[in-house]
Amino acid sequence: MISTETRRGYLLAALVTDGQAVTVARAVQLLDGSPWPTAGRNTARKDLRALALDGFLVAIDKPGRRTYLVDRFWAKVQIGTAAECWQWTAAVNPKTGYGQFRIGGTMRGAHTIAAVYRHGPVPTGHVVDHECHTDACPGGDQCLHRSCVNPHHLAVVTIAENTRRGMAPSAVAARENRCTAGHEFTPENTINKTDGHRRCRTCFNAWQRARYAAKGVAA
């Protein structure tokens, strides 16, 4: 996937900042101040064609020359290095914190569209997960990483895996091998259900005792 640590990625970031249609000659000028200042017209032409094939640029044929425009999706992205979060600069859903992008009259998650560039279509039963979360993330709609569309930071996972990776109390407890009440899932304290899930035996026994006690009161 594209990275500003490569010549091609540097050129794309420069085109996004430039904000105008670009010719081969302009691409050479933009590369002149890069770590690859000796790149000539043939190199720039190949880079522009490759970026267009990858969906980052749109080619527009004009008499005697070809001009490229940055794809309208990537024009709304603050592109950085592969390690940095690429911030979505357009509309953001105020309830979820995810970037939004309109395609064919329908608003879609910007991070999902970015992931398609790297992974292809998202299979049924899967979602796009941000791998740039840190332990300091508050989770939920307050997570600042939700506006990141860096394909390097995105992974296609099952819905169950996405939930497990989250910051919800149940997800945190599962990663710590404990139930939500804090009881450790030891072999003796684990009830393995037929659907693949597990249940805390201590909590289950407490639930049963409370249930029987309630029945006794009712009787």
Side-chain angles (χ1 to χ4, degrees):
M1 190 54 204
I2 201 74
S3 166
T4 50
E5 295 162 353
T6 66
R7 186 189 66 245
R8 202 162 286 170
Y10 178 96
L11 178 59
L12 175 61
L15 294 177
V16 172
T17 302
D18 203 42
Q20 58 183 314
V22 63
T23 61
V24 172
R26 178 57 179 160
V28 172
Q29 291 177 352
L30 293 174
L31 287 172
D32 185 53
S34 76
W36 306 272
T38 59
R41 293 180 63 89
N42 287 336
T43 298
R45 184 179 292 107
K46 290 179 181 178
D47 285 344
L48 291 174
R49 288 175 178 173
L51 288 171
L53 287 174
D54 287 340
F56 291 104
L57 303 180
V58 178
I60 302 175
D61 287 321
K62 290 186 176 182
R65 67 175 183 173
R66 170 167 287 188
T67 301
Y68 294 87
L69 290 174
V70 175
D71 181 88
R72 67 187 186 94
F73 177 85
W74 295 107
K76 303 177 186 298
V77 179
Q78 183 178 335
I79 299 175
T81 66
E84 294 173 332
C85 286
W86 296 5
Q87 296 299 321
W88 179 250
T89 62
V92 174
N93 188 317
K95 294 183 178 180
T96 64
Y98 289 112
Q100 294 180 302
F101 186 71
R102 187 180 298 278
I103 296 181
T106 302
M107 295 298 287
R108 297 184 59 191
H111 66 299
T112 300
I113 297 172
V116 170
Y117 279 90
R118 181 182 184 189
H119 304 286
V122 179
T124 302
H126 290 65
V127 293
V128 177
D129 179 56
H130 283 88
E131 295 189 314
C132 47
H133 290 297
T134 65
D135 293 336
C137 285
D141 58 0
Q142 299 301 310
C143 175
L144 298 178
H145 294 87
R146 288 192 170 189
S147 61
C148 173
V149 294
N150 181 348
H152 296 277
H153 293 183
L154 304 173
V156 177
V157 299
T158 63
I159 295 176
E161 174 64 13
N162 184 61
T163 301
R164 187 190 69 78
R165 293 182 176 188
M167 297 303 293
S170 58
V172 174
R175 289 195 292 272
E176 296 178 348
N177 199 39
R178 296 179 180 278
C179 73
T180 54
H183 304 124
E184 185 178 0
F185 278 114
T186 62
E188 298 77 20
N189 191 48
T190 303
I191 300 175
N192 293 307
K193 301 174 65 177
T194 56
D195 60 2
H197 290 80
R198 59 185 179 177
R199 172 178 288 178
C200 171
R201 189 178 298 277
T202 300
C203 290
F204 179 68
N205 291 341
W207 173 78
Q208 281 193 318
R209 288 194 297 271
R211 181 187 178 195
Y212 292 148
K215 285 185 176 181
V217 172

